């Protein structure tokens, strides 16, 4: 299995470690450039700063090949800033620095909607398809999903709020499974999308 982690900015090492713990040592390629993207069978897009990652997608010329591979069916697990970058609509907050998404998930998100860093929190998440205890959701300056359109399916909730959506093999989470020590979501994603 050849898995990729988009390695432009953010919690790249934690994604790599989580995927390697599920799929085995050596299974992960860090993706900094188009040639690396071309080799992977699935990709995770870590959290970080979506404006920065958006800019780096252009500087590295990864944006167009990434869009093409996603349209061709590449499984993607996008978390937090990663989800923002795949949202059809990002509600504009102040300033000209909104990230530019590859708009494949039919959702509207609002960045930093739970507050600042000190308002980050942990809470139990109900995930369709996971058995056992609720998933420990770690929310760090998380976006809020304001709308789920017909082109996306909600599959994870924290209370009444949708915190996970997917369209086929493209999954987006507002929280950070790589920081929870619970590997079930990575496992479930790989199992469901690559079988
Ligand atoms: N607040 C960040 C953004 O808007 C996302 C935070 C995260 O990925 N943990 O890009």
């Amino acid at each position: 299995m050849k898995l990729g982690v988009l390695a432009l900015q953010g919690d790249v090492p934690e994604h790599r470690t989580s995927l390697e713990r599920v799929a085995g040592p050596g299974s992960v390629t860090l993706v900094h450039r188009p040639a690396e993207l071309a080799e992977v069978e699935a990709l995770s897009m870590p959290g970080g700063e979506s404006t920065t990652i958006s800019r780096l997608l252009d500087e590295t010329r990864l944006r167009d090949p990434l869009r093409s591979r996603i349209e061709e069916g590449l499984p993607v697990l996008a978390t937090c800033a990663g989800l923002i970058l795949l949202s059809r609509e990002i509600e504009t907050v102040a300033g000209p620095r909104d990230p530019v998404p590859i708009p494949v998930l039919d959702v509207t998100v609002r960045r930093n909607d739970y507050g600042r860093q000190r308002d980050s929190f942990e809470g139990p998440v109900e995930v369709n398809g996971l058995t056992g205890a609720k998933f420990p959701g770690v929310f760090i300056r998380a976006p809020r999903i304001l709308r789920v359109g017909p082109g996306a399916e909600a599959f994870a909730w924290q209370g009444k709020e949708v915190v996970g959506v997917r369209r086929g093999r493209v999954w987006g989470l507002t929280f950070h499974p790589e920081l929870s020590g619970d590997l079930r979501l990575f496992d479930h994603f790989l199992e469901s999308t690559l079988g």
Side-chain angles (χ1 to χ4, degrees):
M1 207 183 288
K2 197 148 188 195
L3 308 174
V5 174
L6 185 67
L8 300 180
Q9 190 264 341
D11 49 356
V12 172
E14 293 84 354
H15 271 254
R16 176 189 208 159
T17 304
S18 302
L19 286 170
E20 287 195 332
R21 283 175 64 196
V22 174
S27 54
V28 172
T29 300
L30 297 183
V31 173
H32 312 89
R33 52 182 67 88
E36 290 151 352
L37 178 65
E39 290 171 13
V40 303
E41 297 166 58
L43 183 74
S44 82
M45 292 175 63
E49 198 52 53
S50 53
T51 47
T52 305
I53 300 172
S54 175
R55 177 173 54 76
L56 291 170
L57 279 174
D58 294 320
E59 283 179 16
T60 56
R61 299 181 186 272
L62 271 166
R63 181 180 295 276
D64 289 343
L66 178 56
R67 182 195 304 264
S68 305
R69 290 234 40 209
I70 294 174
E71 282 165 1
E72 288 157 18
L74 179 73
V76 180
L77 179 64
T79 64
C80 207
L83 161 66
I84 294 169
L85 288 164
L86 296 186
S87 297
R88 182 170 292 178
E89 198 173 15
I90 301 169
E91 188 152 294
T92 304
V93 197
R97 278 171 33 91
D98 278 335
V100 179
I102 296 173
V104 292
L105 285 172
D106 186 10
V107 291
T108 304
V109 296
R110 190 189 287 140
R111 297 174 60 209
N112 302 329
D113 203 44
Y114 297 88
R116 305 172 71 89
Q117 191 73 27
R118 65 171 180 276
D119 302 309
S120 296
F121 64 100
E122 207 175 312
V125 174
E126 180 77 49
V127 182
N128 267 358
L130 285 193
T131 49
K134 287 197 179 179
F135 194 86
V138 178
F139 295 82
I140 301 172
R141 294 197 308 121
R144 198 186 303 263
I145 297 174
L146 303 176
R147 177 194 67 91
V148 181
E153 170 209 1
F155 78 103
W157 296 263
Q158 209 250 325
K160 292 199 174 109
E161 201 134 38
V162 175
V163 296
V165 291
R166 62 189 163 202
R167 190 191 83 184
R169 294 193 271 192
V170 180
W171 296 21
L173 309 170
T174 64
F175 54 98
H176 289 262
E178 76 287 1
L179 299 179
S180 65
D182 187 327
L183 295 171
R184 283 179 297 162
L185 254 169
F186 285 97
D187 200 26
H188 183 44
F189 167 72
L190 294 176
E191 189 64 39
S192 309
T193 60
L194 292 175

